[in-house]
Amino acid sequence: MNPALTQFGAQMSHLTGVRAIMKDIIETLRAGSGQEFINLSAGNPVILPEVEQLWRDCTAELLASPEYGEVVCRYGSSQGYQPFINAVLADFNQRYGLNLTDRNILITPGSQSIYFYAANAFGGYTTSKQLKNIVLPLSPDYTGYGGVSLIPEAVVACKPTLDIDAAAHRFKYRPDFSQLSIDQTTGCVIFSRPCNPTGNVLTDDEVKKIADLAAAFDAPVFVDSAYGPPFPALNFTEMTPIFGGNIVHCMSLSKAGLPGERIGIAIGDEKLIQVLECFQTNMCIHSPRYGQAIATRAITSGALADISINVIRPYYQSKFAIVETTLEQAMPKDLPWFLHRGEGAIFAWLWLKDLPMTDWELYQELKKVGVIVVPGSSFFPGLREDWQHKHECLRISLTATNDEIETAMKRLAQMVEKLYQSVDS
């Protein structure tokens, strides 16, 4: 069968970003012919014993409760499972001194769905045919933003400034406010904090400045806190979630051990939440309730916040330290390599300035020595400018074992040294 696809059907039937690369990675692993690969491409969180046990315990409590039938055998409110909403409400009001009501909260099937709702409710063509842009203020950013809009030309990213410490071989992306275009054509703004793929954390002042610029045009700002506090708390530097005004604070429990349950949380102005809820009602009625029910117990008891700070965060922070230490030892000091400052998330981001080949070609070369990473050019959705930097970066997952990470970084360093030497010779 070969049915004709609509414009939207054609748009949504194509994979974007890392999902497009994953097919090649899967085929590489299958056709390895006995070769062992160190796979540093994964975005799947590691199953940590303490985290798995938490969810086992919460599941046992749910199974033993009279609530079980109500949770799994009945439809619910489009807004979310009320006890879960109440748990989030109580936790955030107490933790951050807020005055939220349940009308400020929406539960979605994963946080990716929030950005899909937002991108298509506030971005795209208005009823008067005006194009409203979905602005990504700091590129690179989460690859998934490239596929959320049914109107791909609406996604517009801004090139950052690079704060470089050449002596330490470190750098950090910062928003370039002289280039950031937020105006009457802006429908909404989206960015991740901490950032997938770089680990970058925008400062409080940077977030507030972006929100103020957008507020002047009644544009909502969606802050993707899938790696932020209080859970999974995968910030390695101090950061404060920011609420109120035109900011919609978006969370996920995926990196807190429930990626399979698809739980997203949006916290924001009641009018914005209502728009998103209506979108969700039309799309899928409501998000699954089982995960919400067990998460209610984990949040109410304080166990989820505790395990995030004391188990999840130190686990990945120690992995980043291995990447950092190994590269410092193995990489030649005279080569222009720069590791993005590790401020959070579950990835390291490496920039190889003046790389003699593209990031995709380096990805292919690294496979020959048994190392799989993700080419960085996948993480610049919406950036129209032809910027060489886009083809000089790699995303390195922190989900492998300590020995695997160390071995992979040594192989990568050897490969990179040979590449630069071949140019000089």
Side-chain angles (χ1 to χ4, degrees):
M1 219 183 143
N2 190 26
L5 294 177
T6 65
Q7 176 186 344
F8 293 150
Q11 168 67 17
M12 298 306 290
S13 64
H14 288 92
L15 296 175
T16 59
V18 173
R19 287 290 175 178
I21 293 170
M22 286 307 296
K23 181 179 180 182
D24 180 79
I25 292 172
I26 291 168
E27 289 176 354
T28 297
L29 293 171
R30 284 177 178 169
S33 301
Q35 182 180 5
E36 291 188 7
F37 289 96
I38 299 174
N39 187 357
L40 302 183
S41 69
N44 245 338
V46 175
I47 301 176
L48 302 175
E50 301 92 335
V51 178
E52 182 181 3
Q53 190 59 51
L54 168 65
W55 297 121
R56 285 181 179 274
D57 292 343
C58 291
T59 296
E61 290 178 27
L62 175 62
L63 289 171
S65 78
E67 181 188 2
Y68 179 80
E70 186 69 24
V71 169
V72 301
C73 300
R74 300 186 67 84
Y75 290 112
S77 162
S78 294
Q79 187 181 358
Y81 183 54
Q82 193 62 44
F84 182 58
I85 291 174
N86 293 343
V88 172
L89 184 69
D91 185 277
F92 275 64
N93 280 344
Q94 186 277 326
R95 189 182 300 277
Y96 298 114
L98 304 175
N99 293 300
L100 300 171
T101 73
D102 61 0
R103 294 182 179 181
N104 297 118
I105 298 174
L106 174 68
I107 312 304
T108 65
S111 60
Q112 174 83 0
S113 59
I114 301 173
Y115 315 123
F116 182 80
Y117 303 162
N120 294 291
F122 303 107
Y125 290 97
T126 66
T127 54
S128 59
K129 308 302 181 184
Q130 180 190 6
L131 179 63
K132 288 286 190 176
N133 291 323
I134 301 133
V135 176
L136 311 182
L138 187 70
S139 187
D141 209 332
Y142 175 48
T143 183
Y145 300 151
V148 293
S149 176
L150 294 171
I151 310 296
E153 63 267 28
V155 180
V156 179
C158 182
K159 181 179 170 183
T161 61
L162 276 59
D163 186 351
I164 302 171
D165 183 345
H169 290 278
R170 298 293 184 277
F171 83 110
K172 176 179 168 64
Y173 295 111
R174 295 192 183 278
D176 185 349
F177 287 100
S178 69
Q179 301 295 319
L180 180 55
S181 180
I182 294 178
D183 53 28
Q184 68 277 1
T185 67
T186 303
C188 66
V189 178
I190 304 175
F191 59 87
S192 59
R193 180 183 189 243
C195 177
N196 171 4
T198 65
N200 191 21
V201 173
L202 270 69
T203 66
D204 290 1
D205 286 344
E206 288 168 341
V207 174
K208 290 173 183 175
K209 189 169 182 178
I210 291 168
D212 287 345
L213 289 171
F217 300 97
D218 285 329
V221 175
F222 293 84
V223 182
D224 180 351
S225 297
Y227 298 89
F231 24 81
L234 275 165
N235 53 303
F236 308 152
T237 185
E238 284 297 317
M239 64 168 284
T240 307
I242 298 174
F243 304 90
N246 60 329
I247 293 176
V248 180
H249 182 76
C250 307
M251 301 172 58
S252 166
L253 297 190
S254 292
K255 302 308 185 290
L258 286 181
E261 289 308 303
R262 313 308 301 130
I263 300 176
I265 305 167
I267 302 174
D269 180 88
E270 180 181 343
K271 290 183 179 178
L272 297 175
I273 293 299
Q274 283 180 345
V275 170
L276 300 177
E277 182 183 343
C278 289
F279 206 112
Q280 175 159 284
T281 305
N282 286 320
M283 182 172 169
C284 61
I285 304 179
H286 64 74
S287 52
R289 286 151 54 95
Y290 164 78
Q292 295 181 65
I294 62 173
T296 301
R297 290 159 168 78
I299 292 173
T300 303
S301 67
L304 184 56
D306 179 72
I307 214 165
S308 294
I309 292 171
N310 296 309
V311 176
I312 299 175
R313 177 193 289 165
Y315 178 86
Y316 289 102
Q317 196 164 11
S318 69
K319 300 290 185 181
F320 184 84
I322 293 170
V323 170
E324 197 168 32
T325 302
T326 308
L327 287 177
E328 286 175 349
Q329 293 171 350
M331 279 284 213
K333 302 296 183 188
D334 59 341
L335 293 187
W337 65 272
F338 301 95
L339 186 66
H340 195 283
R341 296 205 172 275
E343 298 177 334
I346 65 172
F347 307 103
W349 180 260
L350 182 64
W351 170 35
L352 300 166
K353 188 174 184 294
D354 301 321
L355 181 66
M357 57 175 58
T358 68
D359 58 325
W360 180 265
E361 290 168 336
L362 179 55
Y363 156 76
Q364 300 289 358
E365 290 299 311
L366 284 170
K367 287 195 297 184
K368 295 176 183 178
V369 295
V371 176
I372 298 177
V373 294
V374 177
S377 52
S378 311
F379 297 94
F380 294 83
L383 188 63
R384 313 291 167 77
E385 185 174 342
D386 186 17
W387 187 27
Q388 181 59 32
H389 181 87
K390 292 196 298 185
H391 307 286
E392 297 177 341
C393 300
L394 300 173
R395 191 189 77 174
I396 300 162
S397 173
L398 304 177
T399 57
T401 67
N402 293 356
D403 288 344
E404 287 174 332
I405 291 174
E406 183 176 349
T407 300
M409 291 305 96
K410 288 177 179 177
R411 292 179 187 176
L412 185 153
Q414 291 172 352
M415 174 70 70
V416 168
E417 184 174 12
K418 289 178 183 176
L419 288 175
Y420 282 98
Q421 284 177 345
S422 67
V423 174
D424 295 335
S425 59

